């Protein structure tokens, strides 16, 4: 059974880490929520396959140890048992090297995800509240707004250059990120990238989570804005 699980698990991991970046990147613009489910589902399945692979390899080594101790005098073909036990490890090492080389070649083809700037760590001051969420202003010379899941941060340059409607649109956009827990999804993607920084799929996951969550927030904010305009009439 282990002899079958090991190559199957590895093939699935290879499928996710090599094929997914090429097939899934840039897709799901029309259905971004489905895109998030597909991306995180793919990585979850690859993680489960990794667990199966490790357990199978460990079981194979244990079975080899039992077989060798059952034939201490070498009355049977002990070298076959040794080969059967360490064969999966040799396969894994060879396949791992091949996987790493293929990822090195794929990495330049995948646009790296935009990193969320650690602006929340800078000094900020509270300037407003939006639907129960603090709005804080930071002093840097760029036009930017973001959220860490707890508050909405806007730069002075963006806030001062925006009129009341633009400010509301900015706040609606960031509020939707908070409501839909997008910062948590981005942190999970970042964690996966930290664990597997050499894999093209990790770069692709970060980039796609950023892109898809922006699409979702834009649409939700636009819908909420239209609803508010309709009530105002």
């Amino acid at each position: 059974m282990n002899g079958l699980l090991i190559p199957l698990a590895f093939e699935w991991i290879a499928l996710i880490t090599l094929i997914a970046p090429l097939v899934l990147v840039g897709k799901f613009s029309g259905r971004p929520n489905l895109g998030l489910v597909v991306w995180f589902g793919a990585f979850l399945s690859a993680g489960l396959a990794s667990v199966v692979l490790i357990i199978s390899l460990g079981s194979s080594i244990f079975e080899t140890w039992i077989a060798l101790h059952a034939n201490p005098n070498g009355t049977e073909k002990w070298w076959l048992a040794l080969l059967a036990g360490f064969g999966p490890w040799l396969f894994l090492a060879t396949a791992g090297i091949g996987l790493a080389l293929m990822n090195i070649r794929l990495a330049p083809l995948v646009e790296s995800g935009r990193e969320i700037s650690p602006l929340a760590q800078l000094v900020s001051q509270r300037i407003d509240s939006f639907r129960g969420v603090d709005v804080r202003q930071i002093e840097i010379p760029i036009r930017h707004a973001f959220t860490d899941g707890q508050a909405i941060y806007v730069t002075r340059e963006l806030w001062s250059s925006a009129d009341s409607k633009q400010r509301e649109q900015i706040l609606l956009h960031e509020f939707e990120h908070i409501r839909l827990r997008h910062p948590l999804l981005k942190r999970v993607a970042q964690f996966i990238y930290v664990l597997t920084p050499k894999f093209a799929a990790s770069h692709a996951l970060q980039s796609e989570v950023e892109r898809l969550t922006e699409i979702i927030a834009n649409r939700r904010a636009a819908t909420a804005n239209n609803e508010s305009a309709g009530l105002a009439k």
Side-chain angles (χ1 to χ4, degrees), residues 99-100 102-104 107 192-203:
L99 186 61
M102 286 185 284
N103 270 281
I104 290 174
I192 293 173
Y193 171 72
V194 170
L195 289 179
T196 56
K198 299 298 184 181
F199 286 87
S202 300
H203 292 272

Side-chain angles (χ1 to χ4, degrees), residues 61-232:
I61 292 298
F62 179 73
E63 290 174 359
T64 301
W65 182 84
I66 294 295
L68 291 176
H69 280 71
N71 300 282
N73 298 322
T75 55
E76 296 186 11
K77 295 182 179 180
W78 59 269
W79 57 271
L80 289 177
L82 186 63
L83 181 62
F86 287 97
W89 288 98
L90 295 175
F91 166 79
L92 181 63
T94 304
I97 293 173
L99 186 61
L101 292 175
M102 286 185 284
N103 270 281
I104 290 174
R105 291 185 176 274
L106 282 175
L109 302 178
V110 181
E111 181 181 359
S112 60
R114 290 182 298 152
E115 296 182 0
I116 298 177
S117 179
L119 299 177
Q121 299 177 3
L122 301 178
V123 176
S124 62
Q125 60 178 350
R126 185 179 183 277
I127 58 172
D128 201 353
S129 177
F130 184 78
R131 300 187 180 185
V133 177
D134 283 350
V135 179
R136 306 187 68 85
Q137 183 172 276
I138 51 181
E139 302 286 344
I140 57 173
I142 60 173
R143 296 184 179 184
H144 188 55
F146 70 99
T147 179
D148 60 357
Q150 303 297 325
I152 297 172
Y153 296 85
V154 294
T155 62
R156 176 183 291 275
E157 185 166 336
L158 175 63
W159 196 247
S160 61
S161 64
D163 58 31
S164 58
K165 290 184 178 180
Q166 290 172 331
R167 288 180 178 181
E168 183 178 7
Q169 191 67 21
I170 292 168
L171 297 179
L172 275 171
H173 177 94
E174 299 305 328
F175 178 77
E176 288 301 322
H177 279 312
I178 295 175
R179 189 175 69 83
L180 298 172
R181 300 182 181 274
H182 288 166
L184 176 60
L185 295 181
K186 293 177 182 180
R187 282 194 288 270
V188 172
Q190 176 67 22
F191 177 72
I192 293 173
Y193 171 72
V194 170
L195 289 179
T196 56
K198 299 298 184 181
F199 286 87
S202 300
H203 292 272
L205 176 66
Q206 269 196 307
S207 179
E208 287 299 290
V209 168
E210 182 72 20
R211 184 180 69 87
L212 295 173
T213 53
E214 287 301 312
I215 292 174
I216 294 170
N218 281 335
R219 292 180 179 178
R220 293 295 182 91
T223 300
N225 194 40
N226 292 335
E227 291 175 351
S228 298
L231 292 175

Side-chain angles (χ1 to χ4, degrees), residues 41-70:
F43 270 81
L44 177 60
S45 66
L48 293 176
S50 299
V51 173
V52 170
L53 183 61
I54 293 172
I55 293 175
S56 298
L57 288 171
S59 176
S60 178
I61 292 298
F62 179 73
E63 290 174 359
T64 301
W65 182 84
I66 294 295
L68 291 176
H69 280 71

